Amino acid sequence: MTKEILHQHLQELHTHLIDELLPFWTTRTIDEVNGGFVTHFDQYGNDSGEDEKSLIAQTRSIYTYASAHRAGYGGGALAELARHGVDYLIGTMWDEEYGGFYWMTNRRGEVTNDQKIVYGQSFAIYCLSEYTLATGDLRGIKYARTVFDLLQKYATDTTHGGYFEMFLRDWTLKGPGSAGGDRKTLDAHMHLMEAFTTLYECTRQSIHRRKLLEVIDLLTKKIMHPVYGTGIPQFWTDWQVAPQIKFDVIWGWDRFTNDGVKRAAEDNTSYGHNVEFAWLLLHALTILEIPHEVYHDQLRKSFAHAVDHGVDWKFGGVFVEGSHAGEVYDREKEFWQQAEVLIGFLDAYRIFGDERYWQAYENVHRFVLDKLVNHSVGEWWPLTTRQGDPIWTHMSHSWKINYHTVRSMVQSIQRLDALRVISR
């Protein structure tokens, strides 16, 4: 790493964020008629017309605008966008009878799926806590606290620990199998850690701290592989490893076979999730004021596995997934994994001082700017071949939204700025 290269990377990310990425969203996403955000755009940035507003897309958009405003971008306009989103989230997606947020409405705000999915509730806590931190509007933390309390009441597994994840509207646990009532996931619990971190940052209440520490304990002792330190995707409710299946209510576009079961269903791990988990854990420890050395071994394993096995040193970027022991299964490139490892590799370089993490960061940085960004419109291709040729071409839908890309730029710029200060 040299000062010149560091400055170049900073400038590239800043230009992309200010001139391409944020304008893509701020110029087209606000729904002036029905409230909330339009979140479906084709490869040219045109509204692709899907008649839905998902809890994930609405909450992630609120988080994006609130966090970017908090980081100093937008001159106040992003705070107003976040406020617009909160108005819709609270006014239309909140269930006044049973509490919690509905999973899906159509564009007009009519509820089309009234289920309570913990993954979605976690993002409500996350975005609303961030919104209050960014704007001072106490509506955010009021509802974030309420959702947190609902999870403790209805979703907590008092026998085995952690949280059940799939509920009907009245918080009745759904059935087994693809309904998901008999499963627990890395994904939901990792995002609960993320949500509880920001909730605690906002409230500093002891109950929020305690529950954050409980989730961290579960993640590090139950969910991450005991040998390799890598994430195991799905479990039975007693934390025995379960084959990874596709749920009836999905929140991502992972590739499954036609029967809904993933290849090597009991031995697959996501390089992007592992690095995302590690940097989110580091952030949680910072908010908790716990030295990262306490979790040194876990952090080292999560970061090292991605560098050793997930980075494509030939074509750039990071692969999708592979075995815990190291074999790569899926060599395509997903947008969100690239976004998360940019942040994570900079954190790993900072805490370990190992040059290979800087080299891995540069590798992914170059792949993103040269291959993954659709510069003609400003957002990222969702999925490419190993070489970087687009496979999926939409710019946004309910599961591919601004949260990963904008957060990656904001957080990476902050970390590069800190490295620049250190290197002076």
Side-chain angles (χ1 to χ4, degrees):
M1 185 187 74
T2 67
K3 293 179 182 178
E4 292 74 21
I5 290 175
L6 187 58
H7 180 73
Q8 176 189 334
H9 291 342
L10 259 172
Q11 286 300 113
E12 286 183 320
L13 296 192
H14 188 267
T15 298
H16 172 50
L17 177 63
I18 299 302
D19 294 345
E20 296 179 327
L21 198 52
L22 283 174
F24 175 90
W25 295 102
T26 58
T27 59
R28 53 173 50 84
T29 189
I30 190 167
D31 186 339
E32 298 281 9
V33 176
N34 301 300
F37 303 112
V38 175
T39 56
H40 293 72
F41 302 103
D42 66 18
Q43 70 184 90
Y44 306 106
N46 299 318
D47 182 354
S48 52
E50 283 85 346
D51 186 23
E52 62 182 34
K53 288 176 177 170
S54 72
L55 179 59
I56 295 302
Q58 300 301 309
T59 54
R60 285 179 165 184
S61 295
I62 292 166
Y63 171 83
T64 295
Y65 301 130
S67 62
H69 169 73
R70 189 178 170 200
Y73 298 97
L78 297 177
E80 290 304 312
L81 276 172
R83 185 171 290 109
H84 175 84
V86 168
D87 290 344
Y88 183 83
L89 184 67
I90 293 173
T92 302
M93 301 193 81
W94 179 256
D95 184 345
E96 291 288 353
E97 183 175 358
Y98 294 106
F101 291 100
Y102 299 120
W103 181 249
M104 189 80 71
T105 70
N106 61 22
R107 289 202 182 190
R108 297 179 301 281
E110 299 163 339
V111 178
T112 57
N113 186 328
D114 62 11
Q115 294 178 50
K116 305 294 166 57
I117 310 299
V118 166
Y119 186 90
Q121 307 301 320
S122 74
F123 275 98
I125 296 172
Y126 188 40
C127 83
L128 290 167
S129 301
E130 182 70 23
Y131 172 70
T132 293
L133 285 166
T135 67
D137 185 343
L138 295 179
R139 291 183 301 161
I141 199 59
K142 173 186 174 182
Y143 279 87
R145 280 191 177 115
T146 302
V147 175
F148 172 86
D149 291 343
L150 287 165
L151 294 185
Q152 308 319 308
K153 181 178 181 180
Y154 293 116
T156 301
D157 182 349
T158 56
T159 301
H160 300 292
Y163 295 85
F164 300 109
E165 301 180 20
M166 303 288 197
F167 297 87
L168 301 177
R169 180 189 174 192
D170 64 356
W171 292 97
T172 299
L173 185 64
K174 293 177 67 176
S178 62
D182 60 349
R183 302 269 178 148
K184 293 172 182 169
T185 66
L186 159 66
D187 214 0
H189 285 78
M190 182 180 73
H191 289 299
L192 285 171
M193 175 179 70
E194 174 183 52
F196 291 176
T197 297
T198 307
L199 178 65
Y200 175 63
E201 182 182 6
C202 192
T203 69
R204 296 295 173 177
Q205 289 188 347
S206 60
I207 182 62
H208 300 149
R209 179 185 180 90
R210 179 159 58 87
K211 291 299 179 179
L212 171 57
L213 287 168
E214 285 181 8
V215 172
I216 290 173
D217 196 58
L218 271 171
L219 283 161
T220 55
K221 294 180 180 178
K222 297 283 190 182
I223 296 177
M224 307 308 285
H225 195 286
V227 175
Y228 300 105
T230 45
I232 300 170
Q234 288 183 19
F235 298 83
W236 303 113
T237 55
D238 63 358
W239 295 110
Q240 296 300 306
V241 176
Q244 190 178 4
I245 63 170
K246 185 177 182 179
F247 297 128
D248 295 334
V249 175
I250 61 171
W251 49 75
W253 280 47
D254 289 336
R255 270 86 65 223
F256 288 83
T257 58
N258 291 332
D259 61 2
V261 178
K262 191 178 271 284
R263 178 189 167 186
E266 294 186 13
D267 180 24
N268 65 86
T269 191
S270 160
Y271 307 111
H273 264 158
N274 294 335
V275 175
E276 183 181 15
F277 159 75
W279 85 254
L280 287 172
L281 174 60
L282 274 170
H283 178 60
L285 296 175
T286 298
I287 299 301
L288 290 164
E289 299 181 333
I290 295 173
H292 65 78
E293 288 83 1
V294 174
Y295 292 89
H296 177 276
D297 192 50
Q298 174 64 69
L299 292 166
R300 180 185 57 79
K301 287 180 177 179
S302 295
F303 284 131
H305 186 272
V307 166
D308 291 342
H309 306 293
V311 174
D312 186 347
W313 296 104
K314 182 176 182 180
F315 293 105
V318 66
F319 300 125
V320 172
E321 68 181 21
S323 74
H324 297 283
E327 180 188 356
V328 179
Y329 296 155
D330 189 337
R331 295 179 185 272
E332 293 171 345
K333 311 289 171 60
E334 285 183 303
F335 83 102
W336 69 266
Q337 303 214 24
Q338 315 309 311
E340 297 306 323
V341 302
L342 285 175
I343 305 169
F345 287 157
L346 288 174
D347 271 349
Y349 179 64
R350 173 178 60 86
I351 66 172
F352 295 124
D354 189 332
E355 192 68 21
R356 67 179 177 155
Y357 290 116
W358 175 256
Q359 294 166 356
Y361 168 80
E362 284 198 299
N363 172 296
V364 180
H365 174 108
R366 198 71 273 136
F367 180 82
V368 166
L369 272 296
D370 293 348
K371 295 289 188 177
L372 204 57
V373 176
N374 180 3
H375 289 285
S376 64
V377 298
E379 246 292 338
W380 299 17
W381 300 112
L383 181 72
T384 75
T385 65
R386 180 182 182 186
Q387 292 78 12
D389 299 317
I391 298 172
W392 295 338
T393 59
H394 54 271
M395 289 294 96
S396 175
H397 57 50
S398 282
W399 324 122
K400 196 270 183 186
I401 193 69
N402 43 32
Y403 153 77
H404 285 291
T405 55
V406 174
R407 184 175 70 169
S408 178
M409 295 300 96
V410 170
Q411 294 294 323
S412 296
I413 287 168
Q414 288 177 350
R415 284 157 176 75
L416 289 169
D417 264 331
L419 287 173
R420 183 172 62 171
V421 171
I422 293 171
S423 66
R424 284 176 181 170

